[in-house]
Amino acid sequence: MTVEDCLPANLRGPTTTVTRIAAGMSGAGVYRVEAAGQSFVLKIAGEAENGTDWRHALHVQRLAADAGLAPRILHVDEARRAVLTAFVADRSFMAFSRNPSTRDAALTQLGRTVRRIHALPFPADTRMRDPREMLAQVWNGSLAGFALPGFASDAVQRVLAEEPPARDRALVLGHNDLNPTNLIYDGESLLLLDWATAAPIDAFYDLAVLSVFLRMDEGTSLRLLSAYEDRPCTGLPRGFLYHRRLAAALAGAFQLSLARQMKHAGATGAETLETTPSLGEFYQRMMSGALKLGTAEGQWAFGLALLEESLSL
Protein backbone atom coordinates (compact mmCIF):
# COMPACT_ATOMS: atom_id res chain seq x y z
CA MET A 1 0.00 0.00 0.00
CA THR A 2 1.22 3.49 -0.83
CA VAL A 3 0.08 6.66 0.91
CA GLU A 4 -1.64 7.77 -2.30
CA ASP A 5 -3.80 4.62 -2.19
CA CYS A 6 -5.55 6.15 0.85
CA LEU A 7 -6.75 9.13 -1.17
CA PRO A 8 -10.06 9.29 -3.04
CA ALA A 9 -9.69 8.44 -6.71
CA ASN A 10 -10.19 12.02 -7.89
CA LEU A 11 -7.12 13.18 -5.93
CA ARG A 12 -4.72 10.53 -7.22
CA GLY A 13 -2.54 11.21 -10.21
CA PRO A 14 0.83 12.35 -11.54
CA THR A 15 0.41 15.94 -10.29
CA THR A 16 -0.47 14.92 -6.71
CA THR A 17 2.29 15.52 -4.17
CA VAL A 18 2.39 13.94 -0.71
CA THR A 19 4.78 15.23 1.97
CA ARG A 20 5.15 13.74 5.42
CA ILE A 21 4.77 16.49 8.02
CA ALA A 22 4.54 14.63 11.31
CA ALA A 23 4.49 11.29 13.06
CA GLY A 24 1.93 10.80 15.81
CA MET A 25 2.83 9.32 19.19
CA SER A 26 0.72 6.28 18.29
CA GLY A 27 2.79 5.71 15.15
CA ALA A 28 0.31 7.45 12.88
CA GLY A 29 1.64 9.16 9.78
CA VAL A 30 0.49 12.69 8.96
CA TYR A 31 0.92 14.03 5.41
CA ARG A 32 0.24 17.21 3.51
CA VAL A 33 -1.39 16.48 0.16
CA GLU A 34 -1.41 18.89 -2.78
CA ALA A 35 -3.89 17.85 -5.46
CA ALA A 36 -6.31 19.50 -7.86
CA GLY A 37 -5.05 22.93 -6.85
CA GLN A 38 -5.97 22.39 -3.20
CA SER A 39 -4.23 21.39 0.04
CA PHE A 40 -5.31 18.60 2.38
CA VAL A 41 -4.06 16.73 5.43
CA LEU A 42 -4.03 12.92 5.45
CA LYS A 43 -3.62 10.97 8.68
CA ILE A 44 -3.04 7.21 8.56
CA ALA A 45 -3.25 5.21 11.77
CA GLY A 46 -0.20 3.32 12.96
CA GLU A 47 -0.19 -0.46 12.84
CA ALA A 48 -0.23 -0.70 16.63
CA GLU A 49 -3.27 1.56 17.04
CA ASN A 50 -6.32 -0.31 18.30
CA GLY A 51 -9.10 -0.46 15.71
CA THR A 52 -11.88 0.14 18.22
CA ASP A 53 -10.07 3.18 19.63
CA TRP A 54 -9.52 4.50 16.10
CA ARG A 55 -13.23 4.22 15.23
CA HIS A 56 -14.16 5.94 18.51
CA ALA A 57 -11.75 8.80 17.80
CA LEU A 58 -13.12 9.13 14.27
CA HIS A 59 -16.68 9.36 15.61
CA VAL A 60 -15.69 12.13 18.02
CA GLN A 61 -13.70 13.89 15.31
CA ARG A 62 -16.79 13.88 13.10
CA LEU A 63 -18.87 15.38 15.91
CA ALA A 64 -16.22 18.07 16.40
CA ALA A 65 -15.93 18.82 12.67
CA ASP A 66 -19.71 19.11 12.33
CA ALA A 67 -19.69 21.58 15.23
CA GLY A 68 -16.93 23.66 13.63
CA LEU A 69 -14.36 22.58 16.23
CA ALA A 70 -12.10 20.56 13.92
CA PRO A 71 -11.10 20.76 10.25
CA ARG A 72 -13.69 19.40 7.80
CA ILE A 73 -13.46 15.66 7.12
CA LEU A 74 -13.46 15.09 3.37
CA HIS A 75 -12.76 11.37 2.98
CA VAL A 76 -12.39 8.31 5.20
CA ASP A 77 -10.83 5.00 4.16
CA GLU A 78 -11.91 2.74 7.04
CA ALA A 79 -10.07 -0.31 5.67
CA ARG A 80 -6.76 1.56 5.74
CA ARG A 81 -7.81 3.68 8.74
CA ALA A 82 -7.02 6.89 6.91
CA VAL A 83 -8.75 10.26 7.29
CA LEU A 84 -8.43 13.16 4.85
CA THR A 85 -9.27 16.63 6.15
CA ALA A 86 -9.16 20.14 4.78
CA PHE A 87 -5.85 21.92 5.26
CA VAL A 88 -6.20 24.94 7.55
CA ALA A 89 -3.45 27.57 7.45
CA ASP A 90 -2.43 28.32 11.01
CA ARG A 91 -2.26 32.03 11.85
CA SER A 92 -0.81 31.21 15.32
CA PHE A 93 -3.07 31.28 18.33
CA MET A 94 0.05 31.80 20.43
CA ALA A 95 0.74 35.10 18.67
CA PHE A 96 -2.94 36.05 19.00
CA SER A 97 -2.90 35.33 22.74
CA ARG A 98 0.44 37.03 23.42
CA ASN A 99 -0.42 40.29 21.67
CA PRO A 100 -1.50 42.72 24.43
CA SER A 101 -4.17 44.22 22.18
CA THR A 102 -5.83 40.84 21.46
CA ARG A 103 -4.95 38.83 24.58
CA ASP A 104 -8.33 39.23 26.29
CA ALA A 105 -10.19 38.35 23.08
CA ALA A 106 -7.98 35.26 22.68
CA LEU A 107 -8.68 34.07 26.23
CA THR A 108 -12.41 34.62 25.77
CA GLN A 109 -12.40 32.65 22.52
CA LEU A 110 -10.32 29.88 24.09
CA GLY A 111 -12.63 29.48 27.09
CA ARG A 112 -15.75 29.49 24.93
CA THR A 113 -14.20 26.97 22.55
CA VAL A 114 -13.51 24.56 25.42
CA ARG A 115 -17.13 25.00 26.55
CA ARG A 116 -18.30 24.05 23.05
CA ILE A 117 -16.10 20.95 23.13
CA HIS A 118 -17.61 19.95 26.46
CA ALA A 119 -21.11 20.35 25.03
CA LEU A 120 -20.53 17.58 22.47
CA PRO A 121 -22.51 14.39 23.24
CA PHE A 122 -20.85 11.24 24.56
CA PRO A 123 -20.62 8.51 21.91
CA ALA A 124 -22.13 5.20 22.98
CA ASP A 125 -19.90 2.95 25.11
CA THR A 126 -17.37 5.72 25.67
CA ARG A 127 -14.88 4.80 28.38
CA MET A 128 -13.43 7.32 30.76
CA ARG A 129 -9.70 8.07 30.58
CA ASP A 130 -8.73 8.92 34.15
CA PRO A 131 -5.56 11.09 34.02
CA ARG A 132 -4.55 9.98 37.50
CA GLU A 133 -4.75 6.31 36.48
CA MET A 134 -2.78 7.10 33.33
CA LEU A 135 -0.07 8.77 35.44
CA ALA A 136 0.13 5.70 37.67
CA GLN A 137 0.41 3.45 34.59
CA VAL A 138 3.25 5.49 33.10
CA TRP A 139 5.03 5.76 36.46
CA ASN A 140 4.78 2.07 37.31
CA GLY A 141 5.22 0.89 33.73
CA SER A 142 7.38 2.67 31.18
CA LEU A 143 9.26 4.71 33.81
CA ALA A 144 9.86 1.86 36.26
CA GLY A 145 13.59 1.47 36.91
CA PHE A 146 14.48 4.59 34.89
CA ALA A 147 17.00 6.86 36.64
CA LEU A 148 15.25 10.13 37.47
CA PRO A 149 16.15 13.19 39.57
CA GLY A 150 14.70 13.18 43.05
CA PHE A 151 12.45 16.17 42.39
CA ALA A 152 10.88 14.40 39.40
CA SER A 153 9.94 11.45 41.58
CA ASP A 154 8.65 13.84 44.25
CA ALA A 155 6.38 15.60 41.73
CA VAL A 156 4.77 12.37 40.54
CA GLN A 157 4.46 10.84 44.01
CA ARG A 158 2.89 14.03 45.39
CA VAL A 159 0.11 13.95 42.82
CA LEU A 160 -0.50 10.21 43.19
CA ALA A 161 -0.70 10.56 46.97
CA GLU A 162 -3.08 13.52 46.82
CA GLU A 163 -6.78 12.82 47.40
CA PRO A 164 -8.71 14.14 44.38
CA PRO A 165 -11.31 16.75 45.40
CA ALA A 166 -14.96 15.77 45.16
CA ARG A 167 -16.39 16.47 41.72
CA ASP A 168 -19.08 19.17 41.79
CA ARG A 169 -20.32 18.76 38.21
CA ALA A 170 -21.07 16.04 35.68
CA LEU A 171 -18.38 14.58 33.46
CA VAL A 172 -18.02 16.09 29.99
CA LEU A 173 -16.62 14.87 26.69
CA GLY A 174 -13.11 16.30 26.82
CA HIS A 175 -10.34 16.56 24.26
CA ASN A 176 -7.78 15.40 26.85
CA ASP A 177 -4.73 16.77 25.00
CA LEU A 178 -5.12 20.53 24.58
CA ASN A 179 -1.44 21.29 24.20
CA PRO A 180 -0.54 24.19 21.86
CA THR A 181 0.41 21.92 18.94
CA ASN A 182 -3.22 20.82 18.74
CA LEU A 183 -4.59 24.38 18.45
CA ILE A 184 -5.09 25.82 14.96
CA TYR A 185 -6.18 29.45 14.61
CA ASP A 186 -7.25 30.48 11.09
CA GLY A 187 -7.62 34.16 11.94
CA GLU A 188 -11.23 33.78 13.02
CA SER A 189 -11.97 30.32 14.37
CA LEU A 190 -10.06 28.12 16.79
CA LEU A 191 -9.91 24.48 15.67
CA LEU A 192 -8.57 21.42 17.47
CA LEU A 193 -6.48 18.58 16.06
CA ASP A 194 -5.86 15.01 17.25
CA TRP A 195 -9.00 13.69 18.93
CA ALA A 196 -7.46 10.28 19.69
CA THR A 197 -7.66 10.67 23.47
CA ALA A 198 -11.10 12.32 23.65
CA ALA A 199 -13.17 10.79 26.43
CA PRO A 200 -15.37 11.67 29.42
CA ILE A 201 -13.36 13.71 31.93
CA ASP A 202 -13.70 16.30 34.65
CA ALA A 203 -14.25 19.65 32.90
CA PHE A 204 -11.38 21.21 34.82
CA TYR A 205 -8.82 18.89 33.20
CA ASP A 206 -8.90 20.41 29.69
CA LEU A 207 -8.77 23.90 31.22
CA ALA A 208 -5.89 22.89 33.48
CA VAL A 209 -3.88 21.51 30.54
CA LEU A 210 -4.21 24.85 28.76
CA SER A 211 -3.21 26.73 31.90
CA VAL A 212 -0.06 24.61 32.26
CA PHE A 213 1.15 24.63 28.65
CA LEU A 214 0.34 28.32 28.10
CA ARG A 215 1.97 29.20 31.45
CA MET A 216 -1.03 31.11 32.78
CA ASP A 217 -0.74 32.94 36.06
CA GLU A 218 -3.68 33.19 38.49
CA GLY A 219 -5.25 36.21 36.82
CA THR A 220 -5.01 34.73 33.34
CA SER A 221 -6.42 31.41 34.54
CA LEU A 222 -9.33 33.27 36.15
CA ARG A 223 -10.10 35.01 32.84
CA LEU A 224 -10.01 31.65 31.06
CA LEU A 225 -12.39 30.12 33.61
CA SER A 226 -14.67 33.17 33.45
CA ALA A 227 -14.94 32.83 29.68
CA TYR A 228 -15.65 29.10 30.05
CA GLU A 229 -18.29 29.58 32.75
CA ASP A 230 -19.71 32.70 31.04
CA ARG A 231 -19.66 34.51 34.38
CA PRO A 232 -16.99 36.21 36.50
CA CYS A 233 -14.82 33.82 38.54
CA THR A 234 -13.17 35.39 41.58
CA GLY A 235 -11.09 32.45 42.79
CA LEU A 236 -9.47 29.36 41.33
CA PRO A 237 -11.52 26.29 42.34
CA ARG A 238 -9.78 23.51 44.26
CA GLY A 239 -10.63 21.08 41.48
CA PHE A 240 -8.90 23.27 38.90
CA LEU A 241 -5.78 23.62 41.06
CA TYR A 242 -5.63 19.85 41.59
CA HIS A 243 -6.03 19.10 37.89
CA ARG A 244 -3.33 21.64 37.03
CA ARG A 245 -0.83 19.74 39.19
CA LEU A 246 -2.04 16.45 37.73
CA ALA A 247 -1.85 17.70 34.13
CA ALA A 248 1.72 18.95 34.56
CA ALA A 249 2.82 15.72 36.24
CA LEU A 250 1.19 13.48 33.62
CA ALA A 251 2.60 15.49 30.71
CA GLY A 252 6.04 15.50 32.32
CA ALA A 253 6.03 11.77 33.01
CA PHE A 254 4.88 11.08 29.46
CA GLN A 255 7.70 13.17 28.00
CA LEU A 256 10.25 11.30 30.14
CA SER A 257 8.75 8.03 28.93
CA LEU A 258 9.30 9.19 25.34
CA ALA A 259 12.87 10.18 26.19
CA ARG A 260 13.48 6.66 27.50
CA GLN A 261 12.02 5.14 24.33
CA MET A 262 14.50 7.30 22.40
CA LYS A 263 17.36 5.76 24.43
CA HIS A 264 18.04 8.61 26.83
CA ALA A 265 20.36 7.34 29.56
CA GLY A 266 18.40 8.96 32.39
CA ALA A 267 19.61 11.08 35.28
CA THR A 268 23.33 11.60 35.75
CA GLY A 269 23.06 12.82 39.34
CA ALA A 270 23.74 16.43 38.39
CA GLU A 271 20.08 17.35 37.81
CA THR A 272 18.48 19.25 40.69
CA LEU A 273 15.40 21.39 41.04
CA GLU A 274 17.60 24.48 41.14
CA THR A 275 19.58 23.65 37.97
CA THR A 276 16.67 22.40 35.86
CA PRO A 277 15.34 24.97 33.36
CA SER A 278 11.81 26.17 34.05
CA LEU A 279 9.04 25.58 31.52
CA GLY A 280 9.45 29.15 30.26
CA GLU A 281 13.20 28.67 29.89
CA PHE A 282 12.63 25.39 28.08
CA TYR A 283 10.36 27.15 25.56
CA GLN A 284 13.03 29.82 25.01
CA ARG A 285 15.69 27.18 24.38
CA MET A 286 13.40 25.36 21.98
CA MET A 287 12.67 28.58 20.05
CA SER A 288 16.40 29.30 19.82
CA GLY A 289 17.09 25.83 18.44
CA ALA A 290 19.14 24.73 21.45
CA LEU A 291 16.59 22.00 22.21
CA LYS A 292 14.29 20.15 19.84
CA LEU A 293 11.28 17.98 20.52
CA GLY A 294 11.45 14.60 18.84
CA THR A 295 14.93 14.03 20.25
CA ALA A 296 15.82 12.19 23.44
CA GLU A 297 17.40 15.28 25.00
CA GLY A 298 14.49 17.51 24.01
CA GLN A 299 11.86 15.17 25.47
CA TRP A 300 13.97 14.74 28.63
CA ALA A 301 14.30 18.49 29.16
CA PHE A 302 10.59 19.04 28.46
CA GLY A 303 9.59 16.33 30.92
CA LEU A 304 11.76 17.72 33.72
CA ALA A 305 10.49 21.26 33.09
CA LEU A 306 6.87 20.07 33.34
CA LEU A 307 7.53 18.15 36.56
CA GLU A 308 9.27 21.19 38.01
CA GLU A 309 6.17 23.19 37.03
CA SER A 310 3.92 20.65 38.79
CA LEU A 311 5.84 21.14 42.04
CA SER A 312 5.38 24.89 41.82
CA LEU A 313 1.59 24.72 41.41
Side-chain angles (χ1 to χ4, degrees), residues 111-279:
R112 290 175 178 173
T113 298
V114 176
R115 188 170 73 230
R116 290 172 59 208
I117 295 171
H118 292 175
L120 294 174
F122 287 4
D125 302 323
T126 302
R127 61 183 177 88
M128 182 178 179
R129 292 177 183 266
D130 186 331
R132 190 171 182 275
E133 290 182 2
M134 293 171 65
L135 175 59
Q137 289 172 3
V138 173
W139 182 247
N140 296 316
S142 56
L143 287 180
F146 191 40
L148 296 172
F151 77 85
S153 299
D154 291 343
V156 173
Q157 297 287 6
R158 183 184 74 154
V159 172
L160 291 178
E162 186 174 358
E163 185 68 24
R167 190 179 298 117
D168 62 358
R169 63 183 74 196
L171 295 176
V172 297
L173 180 63
H175 182 280
N176 261 328
D177 191 16
L178 289 183
N179 74 76
T181 63
N182 285 330
L183 304 180
I184 297 292
Y185 179 62
D186 66 3
E188 294 183 2
S189 301
L190 187 58
L191 303 175
L192 289 307
L193 305 178
D194 196 356
W195 294 82
T197 57
I201 57 167
D202 189 298
F204 283 134
Y205 186 74
D206 273 346
L207 295 161
V209 170
L210 288 168
S211 179
V212 168
F213 279 104
L214 299 181
R215 301 182 58 244
M216 295 183 185
D217 58 19
E218 181 176 352
T220 306
S221 294
L222 281 171
R223 292 200 294 277
L224 175 69
L225 289 174
S226 296
Y228 176 84
E229 300 285 7
D230 199 24
R231 60 176 176 80
C233 295
T234 57
L236 296 178
R238 183 167 172 249
F240 174 79
L241 294 171
Y242 164 78
H243 281 92
R244 199 162 56 163
R245 291 189 290 274
L246 173 58
L250 175 56
F254 184 67
Q255 298 302 323
L256 294 180
S257 175
L258 290 176
R260 188 179 197 181
Q261 291 177 30
M262 295 175 184
K263 309 303 181 184
H264 195 281
T268 63
E271 303 91 340
T272 67
L273 189 60
E274 292 72 24
T275 61
T276 295
S278 67
L279 187 57

Side-chain angles (χ1 to χ4, degrees), residues 281-293 302:
E281 291 168 339
F282 169 79
Y283 286 155
Q284 290 176 354
R285 293 188 182 187
M286 190 170 66
M287 291 174 64
S288 72
L291 286 171
K292 185 178 180 181
L293 290 179
F302 195 19

